[in-house]
Amino acid sequence: MTILTHEQKEMKNNTQSSELIKNIVQFINENYKQPLTLSSLAQVFFVNRSYLSREFSRKMNMTLMKYIKKVKIYNVSRELLENRSPDSAWREYGYTSYKTFLNDFKNIMGTTPSDFLINQKYRQYTVNESDNNIYEIINTYYQELIS
């Protein structure tokens, strides 16, 4: 029988926690169009909601819901640059009201979807489905807003 020291137990727990968060991030990135919540993810991954919330915030430096919203809004932004209408996109991303979608978009992107599209600096990009730089474009836009 092996007796683990406190440090060894902590390392083991930290590794398990990191793997859990990695799996959850991957799940969110693959299922962002679904209505994801802390409770639903805790059920899918068979963990306690409080534990999931605490570990996600600790590892990612943001809340789980903030991460989910960012992934959704970044992907909506990509579609907007591909000439998708904001009015048709919000339902597809698991939002139950346009007002909630609009608030999330403004909080994350710093502007409304319409103003995002009007902004001449970012309208110069012609985006098609094979454009691999779209996340860089959106991330650059977001980074400039928060700095």
Side-chain angles (χ1 to χ4, degrees), residues 73 76-77 79-81 83-102 105 112-117:
I73 296 303
V76 168
S77 299
E79 289 193 21
L80 293 177
L81 290 173
N83 299 317
R84 179 85 186 266
S85 162
D87 295 331
S88 66
W90 66 271
R91 282 186 188 93
E92 190 176 318
Y93 283 81
Y95 283 96
T96 55
S97 79
Y98 185 75
K99 183 178 179 181
T100 303
F101 163 72
L102 190 59
F105 196 97
T112 65
S114 300
D115 288 344
F116 174 77
L117 290 173

Side-chain angles (χ1 to χ4, degrees), residues 87-139:
D87 295 331
S88 66
W90 66 271
R91 282 186 188 93
E92 190 176 318
Y93 283 81
Y95 283 96
T96 55
S97 79
Y98 185 75
K99 183 178 179 181
T100 303
F101 163 72
L102 190 59
N103 285 336
D104 285 353
F105 196 97
K106 284 165 120 176
N107 287 336
I108 291 167
M109 299 305 288
T111 188
T112 65
S114 300
D115 288 344
F116 174 77
L117 290 173
I118 291 169
N119 187 326
Q120 291 302 313
K121 183 175 181 183
Y122 296 96
R123 286 196 69 171
Q124 67 184 326
Y125 295 101
T126 303
V127 180
N128 58 45
E129 291 188 31
S130 64
D131 188 347
N132 294 326
N133 297 324
I134 189 65
Y135 286 105
E136 290 176 37
I137 294 166
I138 294 167
N139 194 42

Side-chain angles (χ1 to χ4, degrees), residues 17-52:
S17 174
S18 293
E19 189 65 27
L20 172 67
I21 300 307
K22 179 180 148 204
N23 290 337
I24 289 172
V25 164
Q26 181 179 349
F27 184 85
I28 292 168
N29 291 344
E30 293 172 357
N31 296 282
Y32 57 83
K33 288 188 176 183
Q34 304 303 316
L36 301 170
T37 64
L38 174 62
S39 294
S40 67
L41 290 168
Q43 277 186 315
V44 168
F45 287 92
F46 304 104
V47 294
N48 178 283
R49 287 177 29 165
S50 298
Y51 173 79
L52 173 55

Side-chain angles (χ1 to χ4, degrees), residues 47-60:
V47 294
N48 178 283
R49 287 177 29 165
S50 298
Y51 173 79
L52 173 55
S53 178
R54 183 179 59 250
E55 289 303 304
F56 193 93
S57 293
R58 190 168 67 86
K59 299 281 186 199
M60 300 293 290

